[in-house]
Structures are given as C-alpha cells and as structure tokens.
C-alpha cells in the first residue's frame, strides 16, 4: 500500500519522540544498574516472537506479489528472530552460568554484532530491489523458493553460532571484564554506519510504501538501540544497556504493528466486499427473475410467431401469434411434431434444418410456405436459432415466423410500377426528375447521364442545391412554391452544373402531387445551343480586344512617349508665356489620359506587367481609405470592416490600390445623394463545390476584399456586361467603361476570382478573392525604392525601332549628362557593343522588328559583356519579360509612355542597383 502524507507524518512524529528520549538518556547511559538476566530472556523472547510473526506476514505477502525484494525483507526478519534466539540461549546466566553451546565470554557480544549488522544488509538489498511495482518478480515455484530461503537463513545462523562458539578464541576481544574494548568500538561503529546506510538508501528509493515508512522508523530505533547498548554506555546492565534493548524491541514492533493493522483493514474490506457480492447476487437473481417474466410477456405479446422445438422436431413452445398465424392453439400444437404445418412437398426440409441447428448453425431470413389448420397456404419469413444449455450444448431450436404474404403482394405491385416507370424514363430524351418536399431527388431518368454527366444513383438522395447554379436557385424555389399552390409549371429556365463543371441551361415543365407529396419535373436541354452562340460571340469579342490592345499598346504608347517627352521640353520653353503654357498643360493632361486608357486596356486583356508581392491587405485598405475620404466627399460615409486575422495576399499593391479606388468611385457615382461605402476584408476558403460552379476558380484559401455601396444598383440585364471594356451605364462624358474592366483583368491575372452582386434600389457589392500569399510564392518581395532624379556620366546604348522615340530618348539622356549611343534594332546594337568598350547600360525596347526581341538582345549582350546593365522599356511586353502575369525576377521595366524624371530615376536605379548601392 502506498504511504500517505498522514502515514509519513505519524512516522516522523514517532522518530522525533524517540530521538528526544534518546537525547535525554544519553548523558546517563553509563549509569550502572542491577543485573537482571530475566530481562534479557524476556526481551529476547519478545523480540524473537515479534520478528518471527513479521517474517511470516512478509512471506505471505511475498507469496502474493512474488517480489525478490519482499523475499529478502522476510528473510531479514527471520534472520533477526533466529539471531535473537541464539543470543538468548548463549547469554551467560540465563540457562547456564556461561550460556549454552559451549559459548565463551565473547560469544553473545559477537552474536549481537552479527545480528545487528546482518539485518541492515537484508534491508539494503530490499531497498535496492524495490520499485513502484514491488521490484523484479519470481517466475518459479513460490513455496520451494520460500523454503529455500528459510533453510538458507537457518544454515547461516547455525554457521554464525558455530563461529562464535567453536571459533571463539580466534575472534577479537570485544568485552573485557564487563567493559568494551577499542575493537568493540570499531566493530559497533561499522555496524551503526551500515544501519545508517540502509536507512539512507531506503529513503532515496521512492515512492515509499507503508512498509517502507515504518521500516525506516524501525531502522531509526535500531540506530538508537546500537548507540545506547553498544556505543555510549560502558558495560552490560547499565542504563544504556537496558534502554537500548527497549529501542530494539520497539524496532521489532513497528513493522509488525503496521502489517497486523493492514491485515485487519484488509479483512474488514474483504468482509465488506463479500457482503456487497451477496447483495449483488441477490439483486441479480431478482433481476433475472424480472427479465424472465418480461421475456415471457414479450414472447406472448409478439406479433411474430415464436415456436420452440426439440432437435427431433417436437413442439415445446407456441405463443399467441403462432396461434393466430396457423390456426392451431397451443394445446393442439405442443407435443406434436412440426410436420403439422409443413406442406407435403417440403416434409423433408425440417429434418435438414434441425440437423443444421444441431451443428450450432443459425438459419437467417428463409422465405418458405407453411399450412394453416384450414389447409390454406401461408407465405412466411423464417429465422431459426439454436438453443444452448449452460454447458454450451445445443438442446433445441427457436423459430420466429412472420407473415410476408401482404408484403409479397405489395412488392409485386411495386415491381410492376417500377418497371413501368423505368420504361418511361429509359425512352425519354428529356431529363425527368422526381423530388420530395425538401427538393431531394427521389427518381432521376437515365438521360441525366447525357444531359448532366451524372448517373441517376449519383443524384438520388441529394438536393437540387448541389446541382442548380446558385443564381437560379431562388427562382427554382419560387416555381416550386407556385406548384404547391396548384399552378402548372411551364417553360421556366434554370441552369444546372454539369459534372465536368460547365453550366447546362434547361427549360422546365413541372407539377406537384399532393397524394404522394412529390414534385415531378421534365427538363429540356438548351445549353448546347446557347453555349455555342455565347462562345462564338465571346471568342470574337476577346480576339478583337486582344488584337486591339496589342496594337494600341505598342504603337499608341510610342506616340504618347514622344508627346509626353516633347511636351515637357516645350513646357519649359514657354514657361514665360502663360497662354502657351496653358495649352502645353492641356496637351500633357490629354497624353496622361491616353496613357491611363492604354493601361486599363492592358489590364483587362491581362497583359499588364504586374509586380506581385506579399501584401498586408488591411494596411493597404486603411491607406486607401485615407485617399478616399477627401475624394468621395462628406456625403459618403466610409466604413472599413477589416478582419483582425486577415492573411497577406499575393498581389501587385499599386494595381490593387487603383482597383479599390475605381470601385469606390463607381460607388460614389451610384450615390449622388450620399450613402455608405463599406470596404470589408476577411479570410475565406473556396471549396470544390464552389469551384464546380465557377470553373475558373481553383479551390484553396483566399483573401476576400468586398467594396459595397448603398447606391442605385445595377439592372439585372446589365450584370453580365459590367466587366466588358467600354461598357458603361453612366452618361456620356462621365466614364470610359474601363474601370471595372481593369479590376476584372487585375484579379484574373493575379489568379484570383471576382463576383458582383447588385439589387436595384439597394446597392452593389463587388467581391475580389485574392490568393493567399505563402513563403513559397516567387517574386513576393519588396521592390527597391526609387532613386532621386539625377544624371550621370556613364555611356548608355538606346535600342528603339521608332525613330521619333529614339531621337527623343537620346536628347533626354544627353541632357542628363550621359553619353548616348543609338541603334534601331538588335543587330545594330550588338555591332555597337562589340565595337565600343565604353557602354555601361543597355536601354532597349522589348518589342522590335527582326529575329531578336529586347530580352534576347539583353541575354546575348550580357554573354559578350557580363558587367553590362539592362533597362527594358515597352508599352506592350507580350511574353518576353512577363510570364504568368508577373514581371520576371531581376528585370527592370520602364513602361511607356514615360516622362524625363521617370527615365532619369530608372536609369540611375539600373546603374546603382547593379553596383550594389
């Protein structure tokens, strides 16, 4: 048993009291007292009896736990009992003047030392072997091992007695004329230290059991015994001699008392458990009696016939349901053979079934025929199980019979109905659906495979929500409600999602059946025709936009570059003539608008060079809101609703800011009398189900940014066109129709998803789903800060096929202090590089005529001159330096049109960054 804190406290108190008494006695330990040999006899007898009883109790615990540690401890107590007996028999003056066995003057002293030194050795062995589980276990015979241990202890004790009697003269003298010698002091000190070591090791070996705690108390008393009887006293029969023996007797009593107390406690617990078991047995008897009564009631009240049989087929049990089913009463059936209900053609079957039951095998769900008393035949379902005795032997059989005649007739009618419905379904080219009140498919025609790609079993059991496009779900529900009110559904359209993800438009007819609580729908596929026309129109439109964008981006940006570059020079020249300065400013603003127009077209066509990086969406939105407040006006309330845990997104932050500004301006225009603009962010996950309804969506984590207004909303007929370029519902001169197109292109080019929701009179919400940034995303790094506007002395090679642009760039570069060289194509540029050693920077257009574009030129130039730096410029990059919508890593691009300050910054950046500044 584990020792509790209370046990440890009591033991510590006993040791404390013993120590105090010891301290009080020590000064008087050498006080001579009258010799009382009978005290020694009484002490030795009590000690031997205590230790012997303790040994017996420990051996009994060893028999249960089979622990080596307990075997050692029990042997130790047996050793002390034997030593006490030997010590008493050899003590002079008890039985003979010199003691028995031919003992000498040193015999009892040496026996005392062997006795008090042997027991700590046993305790030390016990402490080293014990653990929380009792220590190593013995696998052999407990009885033989215990007997061997007893014999070993007795043999050892006999050998020790012979040594101190027969070999008496060869041992050192410990007691001379009733007083202790110096040898005695050395020996007794060694014995005392051995006891102390045993106590210390036992204290270290945690956790402590109850026996461990009181064994440590016994060792403390043992130390006091040795100290008083053999160290601090001076001779036999002095005060220390007597009190030391008292401590020894106490040491022998502590563990015995604990073991006796534990045994009494265990006896009480055993008695309590026995009483509980008796009550439990009585309760179980009552319970079984009640269960038997209930079982009999269940058998008699069962709607199924329950019949008990012997293995030879004799009926021994026949319940009420068997009487109703067969027409035979229990009195007529019990005692007869089961053959009375078996048709003539099946008379051999009962014997075969009873042989199977005798082998312990059950018969499950056997559909067969039986005879009633009036001779009519009865279709039944039969379950037969073996009845076993307490020993497990099969002694009979129980049969449960159920009338299945009505079920068979219903099944036949149902099979006919199913066959008729199957014929109709199989021949229908239209989709036929039957749903319950919740919209769950109950029947689906095989044409579902042709129309939707699903086998009927894949749809049955699912609701229409899984298959109908979300935008058409509410309309379908309205039609179903109308059908419940009795209206015939005719020719309403709803889009379903095909198994491969595409949309299928069906025109429906349907009705509701009140008796069966079912909806019946017939749908005709219109998708193929609509999809073909829509795809053709979309392909033509996108092809035209793509060609237009490419042409405009390349040619128009070259024109705008010349305009923006020369207008700066012209503006400086007419700075002292206000009327001309106003005109140059108007030209500059017009060129700027033309550049923005080109950028929006590139964004919609997904051809703009993005620089996506890991972006804190909440911070970007808050910074954008600061720009919006003075722009939108005080009549527009801006409410940011930002989730605290919003993930970073992988996006070009400058383009995203422009997109949010465009959406906010659209919202402002929709709220001329004022309103509320909400910008919301949150994390979301677009799953496979959503992706199946939006085939361009890749399932995964996204950061959602929603810009919502409380304006006039968008008419349903215009919702599908809002992202088209140049489409606008605003008045002439109030919008280009490219704002939403730019937003759409940015989101798509960034591998995101965009949705627009609007209701006239209530407002519009545009939701952008941007891909979550991860550390594995390439290019998700910050761009270096722009260099200040300054010139330099390096040599720059300008490669530009447009003569006007080339001439302008040469002029601007020379004005910045650089040395300018020029080439109209890649061949001329490579020739210049080979012939001129003083070229520091290659400034090249990306799109050029000839066999090499700007990127290929730069690669070849670097091969010839590894230290050469490169700055690209273009109005339409195609795939030369932009891949998957992102600017290639390490590429610097000066987008056309540009002004002289931008040109100066990018040239300086290209030169300085390469130098490591």
């Amino acid at each position: 048993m584990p020792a509790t804190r209370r046990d440890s406290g009591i033991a510590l108190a006993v040791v404390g009291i013993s120590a105090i008494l010891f301290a009080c006695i020590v000064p008087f330990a050498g006080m001579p007292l009258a010799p009382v040999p009978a005290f020694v006899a009484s002490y030795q007898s009590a000690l031997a009896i205590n230790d012997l009883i303790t040994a017996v109790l420990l051996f009994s615990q060893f028999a249960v736990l089979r622990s080596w540690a307990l075997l050692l401890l029990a042997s130790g107590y047996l050793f002390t009992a034997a030593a006490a007996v030997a010590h008493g028999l050899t003590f002079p003056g008890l039985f003979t003047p010199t003691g028995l066995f031919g003992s000498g003057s040193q015999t009892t002293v040496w026996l005392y030392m062997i006795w008090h030194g042997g027991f700590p050795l046993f305790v030390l062995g016990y402490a080293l072997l014990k653990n929380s589980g009792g220590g190593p276990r013995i696998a052999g015979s407990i009885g033989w091992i215990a007997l061997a241990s007893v014999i070993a202890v007795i043999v050892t004790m006999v050998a020790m007695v012979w040594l101190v009697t027969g070999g008496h003269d060869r041992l050192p003298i410990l007691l001379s004329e009733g007083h202790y010698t110096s040898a005695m002091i050395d020996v007794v000190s060694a014995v005392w230290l051995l006891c102390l070591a045993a106590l210390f090791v036992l204290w270290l070996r945690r956790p402590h059991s109850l026996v461990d705690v009181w064994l440590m108390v016994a060792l403390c008393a043992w130390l006091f015994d040795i100290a008083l009887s053999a160290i601090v006293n001076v001779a036999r029969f002095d005060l220390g001699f007597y009190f030391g023996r008292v401590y020894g007797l106490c040491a022998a009593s502590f563990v015995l008392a604990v073991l006796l107390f534990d045994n009494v406690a265990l006896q009480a617990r055993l008695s309590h458990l026995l009483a509980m078991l008796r009550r439990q047995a009585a309760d179980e008897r009552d319970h079984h009696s009640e269960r038997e009564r209930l079982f009999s009631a269940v058998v008699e009240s069962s709607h199924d016939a329950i019949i008990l049989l012997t293995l030879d087929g004799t009926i021994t049990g026949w319940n009420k349901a068997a009487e109703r089913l067969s027409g035979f009463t229990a009195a007529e059936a019990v005692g007869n053979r089961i053959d009375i209900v078996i048709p003539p053609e099946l008379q051999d079957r009962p014997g075969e079934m009873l042989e199977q039951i005798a082998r312990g095998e059950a018969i499950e769900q056997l559909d067969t025929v039986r005879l009633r008393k009036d001779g009519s035949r009865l279709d039944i379902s039969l379950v037969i199980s073996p009845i076993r005795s307490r020993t497990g032997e099969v002694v009979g059989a129980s049969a449960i019979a159920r009338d299945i005649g009505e079920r068979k007739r219903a099944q036949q009618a149902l099979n006919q109905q199913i066959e008729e419905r199957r014929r109709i379904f199989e021949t229908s080219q239209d989709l036929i659906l039957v749903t319950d009140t919740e919209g769950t498919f109950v029947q689906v025609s095989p044409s579902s495979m042709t129309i939707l790609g699903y086998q009927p079993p894949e749809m049955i059991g699912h609701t229409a929500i899984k298959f109908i496009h979300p935008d058409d779900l509410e309309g379908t529900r309205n039609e179903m409600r109308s059908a419940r009110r009795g209206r015939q559904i005719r020719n309403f359209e709803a889009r379903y999602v095909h198994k491969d993800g595409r949309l299928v438009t069906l025109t429906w007819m349907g009705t509701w059946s009140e008796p069966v609580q079912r909806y019946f729908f017939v749908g005709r596929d219109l998708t193929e025709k609509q999809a073909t026309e829509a795809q053709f129109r979309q392909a033509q439109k996108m092809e035209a936009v793509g060609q237009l964008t490419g042409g405009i981006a390349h040619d128009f940006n070259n024109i705008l570059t010349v305009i923006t570059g020369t207008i700066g020079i012209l503006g400086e020249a007419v700075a002292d003539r206000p009327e001309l300065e106003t005109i140059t400013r108007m030209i500059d603003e017009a060129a700027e608008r033309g550049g923005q127009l080109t950028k929006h077209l590139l964004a919609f066509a997904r051809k703009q060079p993005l620089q996506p990086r890991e972006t804190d969406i909440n911070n970007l939105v808050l910074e954008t809101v600061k720009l919006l407040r003075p722009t939108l006006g005080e009549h527009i309330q801006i409410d940011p609703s930002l989730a605290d845990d919003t993930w970073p997104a992988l996006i070009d932050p400058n383009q995203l800011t422009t997109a949010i500004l465009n959406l906010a301006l659209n919202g402002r225009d929709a709220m001329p009398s004022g309103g509320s603009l909400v910008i919301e962010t949150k994390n979301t996950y677009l799953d496979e189900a959503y992706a199946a309804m939006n085939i361009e969506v890749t399932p995964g984590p996204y950061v959602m940014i929603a810009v919502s207004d409380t304006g006039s909303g968008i008419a349903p007929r215009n919702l599908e066109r809002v992202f088209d370029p140049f489409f606008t519902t605003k008045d002439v001169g109030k919008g280009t129709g490219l704002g939403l197109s730019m937003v759409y292109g940015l989101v798509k080019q960034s591998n995101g998803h965009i949705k627009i929701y609007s209701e006239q009179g209530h407002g519009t919400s545009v939701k952008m789903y941007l891909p979550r940034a991860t550390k594995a995303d390439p290019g998700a790094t910050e761009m270096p800060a722009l260099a200040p506007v300054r010139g330099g002395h390096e040599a720059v090679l300008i490669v530009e096929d447009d003569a006007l642009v080339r001439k302008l760039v040469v002029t601007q570069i020379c004005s910045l202090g650089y040395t300018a060289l020029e080439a109209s194509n890649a061949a001329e540029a490579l020739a210049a590089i080979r012939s001129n050693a003083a070229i520091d920077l290659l400034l090249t257009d990306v799109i050029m005529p000839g066999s090499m574009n700007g990127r290929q030129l730069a690669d070849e130039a670097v091969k010839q001159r590894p230290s050469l730096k490169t700055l690209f410029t273009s109005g339409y990059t195609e795939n030369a330096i932009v891949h998957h919508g992102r600017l290639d890593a390490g590429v610097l691009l000066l987008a056309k049109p540009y002004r002289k300050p931008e040109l100066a910054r990018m040239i300086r950046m290209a030169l300085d960054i390469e130098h490591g500044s």
Side-chain angles (χ1 to χ4, degrees):
M1 294 174 60
T4 64
R5 295 177 64 88
R6 179 174 175 272
D7 297 327
S8 300
I10 294 174
L12 190 61
V14 170
V15 172
I17 294 171
S18 301
I20 293 171
L21 292 174
F22 172 77
C24 294
I25 296 169
V26 165
F28 309 101
M31 179 186 297
L33 296 176
V36 184
F39 170 80
V40 176
S42 303
Y43 160 75
Q44 300 294 100
S45 301
L47 190 65
I49 292 171
N50 278 4
D51 287 345
L52 185 60
I53 295 173
T54 304
V56 171
L57 292 175
L58 288 172
F59 272 117
S60 67
Q61 286 204 15
F62 160 72
V64 176
L65 298 179
R66 310 176 70 90
S67 166
W68 281 108
L70 273 178
L71 180 63
L72 272 180
L73 187 60
S75 300
Y77 270 94
L78 183 62
F79 175 81
T80 60
V85 171
H87 187 271
L89 292 176
T90 59
F91 198 87
L94 291 186
F95 296 97
T96 64
T98 59
L100 298 177
F101 307 129
S103 57
S105 60
Q106 305 300 315
T107 297
T108 53
V109 180
W110 274 107
L111 276 176
Y112 180 89
M113 295 304 155
I114 293 170
W115 166 20
H116 284 73
F119 179 69
L121 287 175
F122 283 100
V123 174
L124 191 60
Y126 164 78
L128 293 174
L129 287 175
K130 70 174 284 295
N131 57 30
S132 59
R137 303 303 173 93
I138 296 174
S141 170
I142 297 300
W144 285 108
I145 291 175
L147 179 60
S149 176
V150 172
I151 292 172
V153 169
I154 293 173
V155 169
T156 301
M157 198 66 248
V158 170
M160 293 295 105
V161 171
W162 176 84
L163 177 64
V164 299
T165 54
H168 174 272
D169 295 336
R170 290 188 292 273
L171 296 174
I173 297 174
L174 303 180
L175 187 67
S176 177
E177 297 180 356
H179 296 282
Y180 301 142
T181 66
S182 59
M184 172 69 170
I185 300 301
D186 295 337
V187 173
V188 78
S189 298
V191 170
W192 194 86
L193 290 175
L194 182 61
C195 292
L196 185 63
L199 174 63
F200 182 69
V201 172
L202 183 60
W203 179 76
L204 290 177
R205 298 288 288 175
R206 299 171 183 272
H208 293 144
S209 67
L210 192 59
V211 170
D212 294 342
V213 169
W214 288 100
L215 190 57
M216 285 190 281
V217 176
L219 284 172
C220 290
W222 199 263
L223 290 170
F224 296 148
D225 172 13
I226 297 172
L228 287 174
S229 299
I231 297 179
V232 299
N233 70 327
V234 295
R236 285 179 176 170
F237 299 114
D238 56 11
L239 185 64
F241 176 87
Y242 284 111
F243 269 93
R245 296 303 191 274
V246 172
Y247 272 110
L249 184 60
C250 290
S253 303
F254 288 139
V255 174
L256 174 61
V258 169
L259 290 173
L260 290 174
F261 177 79
D262 285 351
N263 275 276
V264 171
L266 289 173
Q267 287 286 350
R269 289 178 61 187
L270 184 62
S271 176
H272 177 67
L273 289 173
L274 184 60
M276 287 181 59
L277 288 174
R278 287 172 177 167
R279 289 195 299 272
Q280 183 178 353
D283 292 342
E284 287 183 355
R285 284 195 301 271
D286 295 342
H287 177 67
H288 286 306
S289 298
E290 180 64 16
R291 285 188 61 188
E292 187 174 346
R293 185 188 66 78
L294 292 174
F295 179 75
S296 298
V298 169
V299 169
E300 289 301 318
S301 62
S302 173
H303 292 288
D304 294 332
I306 300 176
I307 303 165
L308 303 181
L309 303 169
T310 61
L311 292 179
D312 63 358
T314 301
I315 300 171
T316 58
W318 193 265
N319 71 343
K320 297 291 185 183
E323 292 182 346
R324 294 192 298 270
L325 192 66
S326 67
F328 291 99
T329 65
E332 294 172 324
V334 173
N336 286 314
R337 290 180 59 81
I338 195 63
D339 298 343
I340 61 174
V341 294
I342 304 299
E345 70 275 12
L346 300 177
Q347 284 292 328
D348 58 336
R349 288 290 293 139
E352 297 174 1
M353 289 189 291
L354 288 172
E355 289 177 2
Q356 183 177 344
I357 294 298
R359 295 194 298 270
E361 302 173 9
I363 299 172
E364 301 286 346
Q365 299 297 331
L366 174 65
D367 291 349
T368 185
V369 179
R370 290 294 181 260
L371 290 179
R372 290 177 55 84
K373 184 177 181 180
D374 59 8
S376 59
R377 301 171 75 88
L378 186 67
D379 293 314
I380 64 168
S381 176
L382 198 61
V383 177
I384 307 177
S385 304
I387 299 175
R388 300 180 183 273
S389 65
R390 291 182 179 272
T391 61
E393 180 185 1
V394 178
V395 295
S398 66
I400 301 176
R402 176 173 294 177
D403 183 3
I404 60 172
E406 187 63 32
R407 190 186 75 185
K408 289 186 68 173
R409 289 187 292 273
Q411 186 64 43
Q412 289 174 353
L414 179 60
N415 290 341
Q416 181 178 357
Q417 183 180 10
I418 291 173
E419 180 63 22
E420 292 172 353
R421 186 173 296 172
R422 184 182 297 115
R423 294 293 183 184
I424 296 173
F425 279 18
E426 289 175 352
T427 57
S428 174
Q429 297 299 313
D430 295 329
L431 179 59
I432 302 176
L433 302 176
V434 181
T435 74
D436 61 14
T437 55
E438 302 298 326
T440 302
F441 294 127
V442 178
Q443 293 286 333
V444 179
S445 67
S447 56
S448 63
M449 183 61 192
T450 304
I451 298 174
L452 296 178
Y454 292 97
Q455 295 284 357
E458 295 179 90
M459 299 181 68
I460 293 173
H462 297 281
T463 64
I465 296 174
K466 181 178 178 180
F467 305 96
I468 298 177
H469 190 279
D471 294 344
D472 295 346
L473 188 58
E474 190 58 33
T476 302
R477 287 172 174 160
N478 291 333
E479 294 292 340
M480 293 176 71
R481 295 187 191 103
S482 298
R484 287 290 291 267
R485 293 193 293 267
R487 188 176 71 84
Q488 190 80 6
I489 301 175
R490 290 188 179 276
N491 298 327
F492 81 93
E493 291 186 3
R495 290 168 295 174
Y496 275 57
V497 181
H498 193 276
K499 191 174 184 178
D500 60 14
R502 58 188 172 87
L503 294 180
V504 179
T505 302
L506 298 169
T507 179
W508 291 96
M509 295 180 62
T511 188
W512 161 258
S513 174
E514 187 65 32
V516 296
Q517 297 285 294
R518 292 287 187 266
Y519 290 100
F520 294 85
F521 296 99
V522 179
R524 179 157 296 174
D525 186 5
L526 300 178
T527 305
E528 186 173 351
K529 178 182 177 182
Q530 292 179 344
T532 301
E533 294 175 353
Q535 289 175 0
F536 182 71
R537 290 193 301 269
Q538 184 67 13
Q540 285 183 320
K541 181 176 70 175
M542 293 308 295
E543 179 66 24
V545 171
Q547 292 178 357
L548 176 64
T549 300
I552 289 176
H554 187 267
D555 297 333
F556 191 46
N557 276 333
N558 279 339
I559 297 171
L560 289 174
T561 300
V562 176
I563 294 174
T564 55
T566 56
I567 202 64
I569 299 172
L570 184 59
E572 294 175 359
V574 298
D576 56 344
R577 301 180 64 182
E579 69 280 2
L580 294 180
E581 185 182 12
T582 302
I583 294 174
T584 57
R585 190 162 50 250
M586 291 172 58
I587 297 172
D588 187 57
E589 292 174 357
E592 180 67 25
R593 290 180 60 186
Q596 291 298 322
L597 178 66
T598 306
K599 289 181 180 178
H600 285 176
L601 284 173
L602 283 172
F604 169 74
R606 309 180 206 178
K607 297 181 183 293
Q608 61 179 335
L610 296 181
Q611 295 178 337
R613 59 179 182 265
E614 183 176 313
T615 302
D616 187 327
I617 296 300
N618 283 354
N619 284 344
L620 185 142
V621 169
L622 291 174
E623 291 300 321
T624 306
V625 168
K626 293 178 183 178
L627 299 176
L628 286 175
R629 293 194 187 278
T631 303
L632 300 186
E634 296 182 356
H635 66 295
I636 304 294
Q637 179 182 351
I638 305 176
D639 296 322
S641 178
L642 311 179
D644 293 336
D645 59 346
T646 302
W647 298 320
L650 187 65
I651 192 71
D652 187 321
N654 296 326
Q655 297 292 341
L656 179 58
T657 300
T658 303
I660 296 174
L661 289 172
N662 276 330
L663 295 176
L665 293 175
N666 282 347
R668 177 200 64 185
D669 295 341
M671 299 181 290
S673 301
S676 175
L677 183 77
V678 178
I679 304 179
E680 176 188 4
T681 65
K682 71 173 183 178
N683 301 328
T684 188
Y685 187 90
L686 302 182
D687 57 16
E688 287 79 2
Y690 187 87
M693 294 183 289
N694 299 270
I695 58 176
E696 79 281 4
V697 173
T698 300
Y702 289 84
V703 180
M704 190 275 290
I705 305 176
V707 180
S708 307
D709 63 64
T710 56
S712 56
I714 304 172
R717 66 180 181 276
N718 294 328
L719 272 177
E720 294 184 359
R721 302 181 59 195
V722 292
F723 295 126
D724 290 355
F726 303 114
F727 175 79
T728 179
T729 58
K730 299 177 183 178
D731 296 336
V732 177
K734 292 188 177 181
T736 63
L738 288 175
L740 283 177
S741 302
M742 185 278 291
V743 176
Y744 175 86
L746 168 67
V747 173
K748 293 296 183 180
Q749 190 173 348
S750 302
N751 298 322
H753 175 58
I754 187 168
K755 273 287 186 181
I756 185 167
Y757 305 90
S758 185
E759 187 174 349
Q760 282 187 290
H762 295 280
T764 301
S765 178
V766 179
K767 294 185 178 181
M768 297 179 287
Y769 297 88
L770 307 178
R772 178 185 181 182
T774 63
K775 294 193 181 298
D777 288 322
T781 58
E782 294 289 341
M783 292 297 292
L786 292 177
V789 179
R790 58 190 176 93
H793 60 276
E794 292 90 346
V796 181
L797 174 59
I798 300 102
V799 186
E800 172 62 61
D801 61 301
D802 190 299
L804 290 175
V805 175
R806 186 171 65 252
K807 185 175 181 179
L808 172 66
V809 175
V810 169
T811 302
Q812 291 177 330
I813 287 179
C814 289
S815 70
L816 292 169
Y818 298 102
T819 300
L821 294 85
E822 57 180 297
S824 62
N825 53 50
E828 293 179 9
L830 290 174
I833 291 171
R834 285 191 291 267
S835 63
N836 196 322
I839 299 177
D840 300 290
L841 176 67
L842 173 65
L843 174 61
T844 178
D845 195 4
V846 177
I847 306 300
M848 294 188 300
S851 59
M852 297 178 68
N853 60 31
R855 183 57 187 264
Q856 293 167 330
L857 168 61
D859 293 341
E860 184 62 32
V862 170
K863 289 180 182 178
Q864 297 185 21
R865 293 195 179 192
S867 61
L868 185 64
K869 295 86 179 176
T870 302
L871 173 62
F872 293 99
T873 178
S874 181
Y876 175 50
T877 59
E878 283 291 350
N879 291 323
I881 60 174
V882 174
H883 294 88
H884 306 293
R886 303 179 184 182
L887 196 64
D888 291 347
V891 170
L892 287 178
L893 174 66
L894 177 60
K896 295 178 180 179
Y898 52 82
R899 305 174 188 276
K900 183 178 178 180
E902 296 168 344
L903 174 64
R905 287 193 190 95
M906 292 301 293
I907 289 177
R908 197 68 258 161
M909 181 185 297
L911 289 168
D912 291 346
I913 288 178
E914 293 288 336
H915 285 301
S917 60

